[in-house]
Amino acid sequence: MSDAKTPADVVAMMKSEGVQMVDLRFMDFPGIWQHFSVPAREIDEDAFAEGLGFDGSSIRGWQAINESDMLVKPVAESAFIDPFMAAKTLVMTCNIADPITGEDYTRDPRNIARKAEAYLQSSGVGDIVYFGPEAEFFIFDDIRFDQNEHEGYYFLDSIEGRWNSGKAENPNLGYKPRYKEGYFPVPPTDSLQDIRSEIVLLMESIGIQVEAQHHEVATGGQCEIDMRFAPLVQMADNLLKYKYIAKNVARRHNKTVTYMPKPVWNDNGSGMHVHMSIWKGGKNLFFGDQYAGLSETAMYAIGGLLKHAPAVLALTNPTTNSYKRLVPGFEAPVNLAYSSRNRSAAVRIPMYSKSEKAKRFEFRCPDPSGNAYLGFSAMLMAAIDGIQNKIDPGEPLDKDIYDLPPEELAKVPTTPGSLGEALAALEADHDFLLKGDVFTKDVIETWIDYKMENEVKELALRPHPWEFALYYDI
């Protein structure tokens, strides 16, 4: 774990730890951590203010080739020693700046998150927002996929997969979780306990506090690790470190991790329920005497989040695969309503958290496939809009959704049915994101264009294997 807080601290730590390489990391537009490395001698105290140059033209969604030069500016307090590299390597998260103007780059996702935190303060609504995501993932033993002009397929496998219960494994020892019954039997049915513990201990070693780890509902190696809540930018940083550690620990064990929302058909997908609370003057603004122990402010925040949810989902659920998870029947929150107990509602108020410090609500729609800087920022901006405009969230959905008569169910709005629908909602409803210049019109337009051209349209062009089962004999 790094205790470095200033550039001087980092430089001193590099010397005391015998650091050989410095890895500089930043987030591309869609949500993949990027990096390049320099010898340790290249990093002195001036590098933190002046930055280091790189070509931004090949980063997805960023600069054109004729304006490609960019700067990375390391963030001192983000420094940690990489637990995987053979050479002693110090990692730092970086902000991105324009080398001509020196200004923060508007398409840098981390910059957008920093602006969201600043807008919360300047708005007077609150001082700090805390996020606590519960990111689920699968650990597989094999993954193969391809699509070309004459074939298209994927193949995944897990020693835990129920589909292997009849496989000759010489010997097959059984104990494979049934579909939808992986939550949560002890080992040997849960075969991934040691791997998850290894991930957790490495996360703790670099300063990330973990609250719990466990097997998840689906067969085939679905897992969850829950981090202790943190402010917006810090939590988005932590989520990237979490993914990095999980993937590399799995690789050590000749396994592979995916945060894809719905890799296994006909079983539960991987969500990322996000807990959220806004504080001011050391007080939790969401604690009160209204529904489920929430305050009026929290109710308005829920109202804003539900009102803007279709647009927000274009950022919190930003893949075509995301909407294969958001379907009825798999514990997915497809109903744009709130409840203290109903897990099919988009917003849930956990009832085991009754104290002021713990009071919060949980947005259950998001999944871990996206860019957390953008997703968390969108959630915050929707909540602030609800608070500022006193948006009433309506009545809670405390009834069993499966017992509702059709005429009552029809009145409950639902999540978008596809990424294309969510992007259309974002195009129609994004003024709340532009407040405080947090998101810019350029960012919104670039996001929609990138997703439509590179994902929605590309998927629509390709035949699907199930189409052959449906239509080949026509």
Side-chain angles (χ1 to χ4, degrees):
M1 175 180 173
S2 165
D3 294 321
K5 300 297 181 186
T6 68
D9 292 336
V10 173
V11 172
M13 183 180 70
M14 288 167 58
K15 292 178 180 177
S16 65
E17 294 277 354
V19 168
Q20 298 169 290
M21 299 294 294
V22 177
D23 202 49
L24 303 169
R25 300 187 183 177
F26 56 93
M27 188 71 136
D28 73 1
F29 209 46
I32 301 294
W33 226 6
Q34 309 290 316
H35 79 132
F36 67 91
S37 300
V38 299
R41 67 171 182 275
E42 296 294 318
I43 301 297
D44 56 19
E45 291 185 48
D46 292 338
F48 291 82
E50 296 173 1
L52 292 87
F54 75 104
D55 178 3
S57 64
S58 295
I59 305 301
R60 297 181 299 171
W62 277 18
Q63 297 285 57
I65 194 70
N66 63 323
E67 50 183 20
S68 60
D69 290 343
M70 306 291 291
L71 291 175
V72 293
K73 292 189 173 182
V75 178
E77 58 266 30
S78 72
F80 68 93
I81 301 297
D82 192 298
F84 302 104
M85 298 299 105
K88 195 67 169 285
T89 301
L90 181 85
V91 177
M92 284 189 286
T93 300
C94 300
N95 295 320
I96 308 300
D98 185 297
I100 306 300
T101 65
E103 294 179 352
D104 293 324
Y105 183 41
T106 56
R107 292 188 193 173
D108 172 18
R110 195 172 192 272
N111 178 37
I112 292 168
R114 290 160 61 210
K115 288 192 292 183
E117 286 188 324
Y119 177 67
L120 172 65
Q121 295 172 0
S122 67
S123 71
V125 169
D127 302 327
I128 190 168
V129 58
Y130 289 109
F131 285 94
E134 301 173 355
E136 298 167 351
F137 59 98
F138 279 86
I139 301 178
F140 293 132
D141 291 281
D142 193 23
I143 176 67
R144 290 180 280 123
F145 51 89
D146 197 9
Q147 180 121 29
N148 53 50
E149 288 75 10
H150 75 101
E151 62 183 352
Y153 69 91
Y154 68 88
F155 174 87
L156 55 82
D157 207 4
S158 164
I159 191 69
E160 281 195 357
R162 187 67 177 181
W163 55 83
N164 282 325
S165 58
K167 184 178 180 180
E169 294 177 339
N170 302 311
N172 186 325
L173 301 177
Y175 298 112
K176 303 181 191 301
R178 299 175 186 88
Y179 296 104
K180 299 187 182 183
E181 292 188 25
Y183 193 86
F184 25 55
V186 298
T189 303
D190 177 5
S191 69
L192 300 167
Q193 171 74 9
D194 285 338
I195 291 180
R196 291 196 307 271
S197 291
E198 187 176 336
I199 294 168
V200 167
L201 294 175
L202 280 178
M203 289 171 68
E204 292 263 341
S205 76
I206 66 167
I208 300 174
Q209 286 185 281
V210 175
E211 293 189 334
Q213 61 97 335
H214 56 82
H215 204 285
E216 256 298 338
V217 173
T219 191
Q222 192 183 33
C223 300
E224 177 176 313
I225 295 174
D226 299 333
M227 296 175 283
R228 184 172 176 79
F229 64 88
L232 193 162
V233 174
Q234 182 184 341
M235 181 49 78
D237 288 347
N238 286 349
L239 190 59
L240 287 174
K241 296 173 186 175
Y242 164 24
K243 287 185 174 184
Y244 176 73
I245 289 174
K247 290 176 180 179
N248 281 281
V249 167
R251 190 176 180 88
R252 278 181 177 175
H253 293 270
N254 204 31
K255 295 179 184 289
T256 179
V257 158
T258 183
Y259 288 87
M260 185 175 173
K262 189 78 169 186
V264 177
W265 172 71
N266 213 28
D267 208 340
N268 283 37
S270 292
M272 187 176 73
H273 307 149
V274 182
H275 297 254
M276 177 181 175
S277 62
I278 297 175
W279 292 58
K280 186 174 184 179
K283 297 288 186 182
N284 184 355
L285 298 181
F286 284 6
F287 180 74
D289 58 2
Q290 298 204 9
Y291 177 80
L294 293 178
S295 65
E296 184 178 57
T297 298
M299 299 302 289
Y300 290 146
I302 291 172
L305 192 53
L306 291 177
K307 175 185 176 181
H308 298 298
V312 170
L313 261 62
L315 295 159
T316 60
N317 301 68
T319 67
T320 58
N321 187 252
S322 297
Y323 298 86
K324 292 178 171 59
R325 166 184 166 256
L326 290 177
V327 293
F330 297 92
E331 297 186 18
V334 295
N335 302 291
L336 294 180
Y338 69 98
S339 174
S340 62
R341 293 186 179 274
N342 196 331
R343 291 176 181 266
S344 68
V347 175
R348 187 176 75 95
I349 299 90
M351 294 312 294
Y352 48 73
S353 56
K354 295 183 179 180
S355 69
E356 177 182 349
K357 183 179 179 181
K359 184 52 65 177
R360 61 197 185 270
F361 63 69
E362 172 192 33
F363 190 37
R364 294 176 62 82
C365 294
D367 65 55
S369 67
N371 189 324
Y373 297 112
L374 302 183
F376 294 165
S377 297
M379 284 180 59
L380 174 60
M381 296 302 288
I384 292 174
D385 187 64
I387 294 167
Q388 290 175 329
N389 292 292
K390 299 184 177 180
I391 298 174
D392 185 351
E395 294 299 313
L397 183 66
D398 286 336
K399 301 176 183 177
D400 186 338
I401 194 74
Y402 302 110
D403 289 340
L404 287 182
E407 61 273 12
E408 196 170 339
L409 185 61
K411 297 176 183 178
V412 181
T414 58
T415 54
S418 67
L419 178 58
E421 289 182 20
L423 292 169
L426 178 61
E427 190 169 28
D429 175 28
H430 60 256
D431 286 350
F432 71 100
L433 297 172
L434 303 179
K435 294 179 181 178
D437 199 38
V438 174
F439 289 78
T440 64
K441 280 193 173 291
D442 170 70
V443 163
I444 300 295
E445 290 169 2
T446 301
W447 181 262
I448 293 172
D449 289 347
Y450 180 91
K451 288 286 175 178
M452 286 298 299
E453 292 300 320
N454 293 282
E455 300 179 30
V456 175
K457 291 181 180 179
E458 288 296 325
L459 187 72
L461 286 173
R462 288 160 170 78
H464 188 284
W466 191 242
E467 289 179 306
F468 285 84
L470 291 172
Y471 308 128
Y472 184 77
D473 57 351
I474 288 176

